[in-house]
Amino acid sequence: MKSLPWWKEAVIYQIYPRSFFDSNGDGEGDLPGITSKLEYVQQLGVDAIWLSPFYTSPNKDGGYDVADPRDVDPRFGNLADAQSLIDHAHELHMKVLADVVPNHFSDQHEWFQAALGAGPGSPERARFHFYDANPDGTPPNNWISLFGGPSWTQVADGQYYLHLFDSSQPDLNWDNDDVNKDFEETLRFWLDRGVDGFRIDVAHGLVKEDILKNHHDPQGLSNALRLDYPMDHETRNALLLSVPYFDRQGVHEIYRRWRKLFDSYGDREIMAVAEAWVHPPINATKYVRPDELHQVFNFDLLTAPFEAAHLYEVINRSIELNATVNALPTWALSNHDSPRVASRIGDEESRALALFVFALPGSSYIFAGQELGLPDGELSDSDRQDPSFIRSGGTVKGRDGARVPLPWSGDSTPFGFTSGKPWLPIAQSWQRFTVENQDKDPSSILNLFRQALTLRRQYLLASQKISWVQSPIHGNHDDSLLAFMRESVTVVMNLSSHSKEVDVPGEVLLSSFGDIQVHGSKKLLPARSCIWISN
Ligand code: NOJ
């Protein structure tokens, strides 16, 4: 039997370089810092790392404002450091994914600076979306930036340029050949240095339509796109069905071209995963058609409540939709853009859900620090750096809470992360989360993740099928239990706040929380817990 490509069921560990480990005492993580901790990452049992951007950048949006995609920002090191990181990861048998940011550059990119100097109508401006002002001086349309405020900024000669994000992130014009060629060069640049694939930022945003038309409800649309904004389901759905700057047909042509480029690297099995927030959910599967990308993020679990019916629905839907294009789903409980799962649903709940998700078919993403059970950092407004905080005048708190650096060792903050002052403060109460402390504690979440990832390889990966188990509790339906079988393992999660006895023969392989009382085939699951049983 031919084995699956490495990425199909990979566990991928996302590293936010600025917050991982600081090797030079400047308070910010860097590439040599990551390299020095790769053994730790490998011991977790992951297959690959994904590095959020480390390219030359004024860092107005945590490095997603790229001024030179083919060089390393001095705050993170240099190209030789990137090479050492890639090589060392490979020595440890881990793949490396880089982040590629094709929707926009930084305004400090030489192309944008040249465009400013070259003036209206120039080929330099044609690489971006520059348009004249309306006769009354207003911007070409009424779109609102995803970080708040208008998505147009005016330059000295009166033209406006489009930026879906911060004004320092001008959107690129993907109808322009230079743009296409430049990104192909960037992809090859990193592939030739050994990276094994890419995470594609805003993959659904590259092509815009109706750029000179006003949207009928720009504020509604802007709210609908915010995960934390309460809105009734139907209104949100209606608004998200047609976003003039997201999920346009043209993006798929770009990924078909990229797929050919990836495939030209032959048996290196290069892969790419799309960050594509699209609607309705079936549209996400278009990005993973056989001649396009390999994976698309499934963001459902970043917002899902810890509630059995809801989880069943979104998990099942993702498996079924991906199957229509012969793809496997991806699972993520946290990332650098959303509240950490432990803060969002609770400590015990997040341990249980992680165990549940690690047993599912497809690829699991872990956001660095999730294996330590980190909550969001408590920050004061003066600490915050996220452009969404700044551009919304502080009404949106932004994503800094999820980006607080990792606590490694010792008794006092900053817990070995840096010998200097960390770029975001690490609370003294995080002592209990340090790697050093959790290493020693057999019941820590860190050791739970290590065991889960070992057992996942041992017991689960031979088949990509699961079957849901309807009634694991004494033959009665219980809507606070979720269970499925995969291979010879039954996975049961108790979502209620009471312990529950389930009747499933076999040996308990792993439990998310505490010891399990076993009486023959009966097992007592603690509240908010998940167990794996080998039949
Ligand atoms: C998605 C990235 O994950 C996020 O951090 C960034 O702000 C936007 N894209 C813009 O690049």
Side-chain angles (χ1 to χ4, degrees), residues 124-138:
E124 288 83 353
R125 285 212 176 170
R127 294 164 171 161
F128 299 90
H129 295 285
F130 274 93
Y131 288 92
D132 290 337
N134 289 325
D136 63 357
T138 56

Side-chain angles (χ1 to χ4, degrees), residues 49-100:
I49 55 172
W50 145 33
L51 299 164
S52 281
F54 50 80
Y55 317 113
T56 315
S57 165
N59 198 30
K60 292 276 176 55
D61 181 22
Y64 284 92
D65 47 323
V66 179
D68 182 351
R70 300 189 283 272
D71 205 352
V72 173
D73 195 278
R75 76 177 65 226
F76 295 124
N78 56 36
L79 275 174
D81 295 325
Q83 192 65 60
S84 307
L85 197 173
I86 296 166
D87 293 345
H88 192 42
H90 287 163
E91 281 159 16
L92 297 173
H93 306 288
M94 290 186 291
K95 306 278 187 185
V96 178
L97 304 184
D99 219 308
V100 61

Side-chain angles (χ1 to χ4, degrees), residues 139-409:
N141 75 21
N142 63 0
W143 296 354
I144 294 178
S145 146
L146 288 137
F147 289 157
S151 44
W152 297 91
T153 290
Q154 196 165 28
V155 300
D157 54 45
Q159 279 207 315
Y160 281 91
Y161 64 90
L162 176 72
H163 51 89
L164 292 186
F165 295 90
D166 189 50
S167 56
S168 67
Q169 293 166 295
D171 278 43
L172 286 157
N173 174 11
W174 275 86
D175 287 333
N176 184 284
D177 245 14
D178 291 351
V179 173
N180 279 277
K181 288 200 185 107
D182 191 70
F183 271 85
E184 294 201 1
E185 193 177 331
T186 296
L187 297 174
R188 287 189 196 284
F189 180 89
W190 291 107
L191 291 172
D192 293 344
R193 274 159 186 75
V195 309
D196 304 282
F198 299 96
R199 176 260 190 194
I200 303 172
D201 189 65
V202 204
H204 55 314
L206 277 46
V207 173
K208 280 84 182 172
E209 282 175 7
D210 295 332
I211 222 166
L212 292 178
K213 265 202 209 151
N214 279 336
H215 188 270
H216 65 279
D217 182 6
Q219 190 56 55
L221 178 58
S222 160
N223 296 340
L225 286 164
R226 266 181 55 191
L227 298 181
D228 59 343
Y229 193 90
M231 190 182 267
D232 77 79
H233 205 56
E234 267 155 39
T235 316
R236 175 172 262 131
N237 282 354
L239 283 160
L240 294 185
L241 268 182
S242 176
V243 185
Y245 42 82
F246 281 161
D247 201 27
R248 304 291 94 191
Q249 279 312 310
V251 295
H252 297 291
E253 290 310 316
I254 299 169
Y255 300 130
R256 290 201 178 98
R257 290 198 293 276
W258 286 19
R259 178 58 180 259
K260 290 199 180 108
L261 189 158
F262 299 148
D263 286 351
S264 73
Y265 283 77
D267 56 14
R268 275 182 52 193
E269 294 186 335
I270 303 304
M271 73 82 90
V273 52
E275 187 215 20
W277 300 81
V278 296
H279 198 80
I282 182 81
N283 280 13
T285 63
K286 293 187 182 163
Y287 293 75
V288 286
R289 287 178 289 198
D291 60 344
E292 295 195 36
L293 303 173
H294 305 78
Q295 294 183 348
V296 56
F297 281 123
N298 160 14
F299 295 116
D300 294 340
L301 299 182
L302 294 178
T303 51
F306 190 67
E307 202 254 310
H310 187 100
L311 288 171
Y312 169 78
E313 193 193 311
V314 295
I315 290 172
N316 204 40
R317 181 178 71 191
S318 186
I319 293 173
E320 287 181 352
L321 290 181
N322 276 283
T324 63
V325 284
N326 202 19
L328 289 176
T330 61
W331 311 106
L333 302 182
S334 284
N335 66 24
H336 65 295
D337 288 332
S338 39
R340 283 194 175 269
V341 64
S343 289
R344 196 176 67 75
I345 63 174
D347 286 340
E348 295 165 6
E349 292 85 342
S350 61
R351 288 170 74 120
L353 191 56
L355 222 56
F356 196 78
V357 159
F358 286 150
L360 289 168
S363 212
S364 267
Y365 283 77
I366 298 172
F367 177 43
Q370 190 188 331
E371 79 281 15
L372 303 176
L374 293 186
D376 284 330
E378 279 175 30
L379 301 173
S380 55
D381 284 356
S382 57
D383 295 323
R384 296 186 193 278
Q385 306 197 10
D386 188 339
S388 63
F389 173 76
I390 298 162
R391 285 181 66 87
S392 70
T395 52
V396 174
K397 289 294 172 201
R399 303 159 295 177
D400 296 304
R403 300 174 178 179
V404 171
L406 263 59
W408 290 94
S409 57

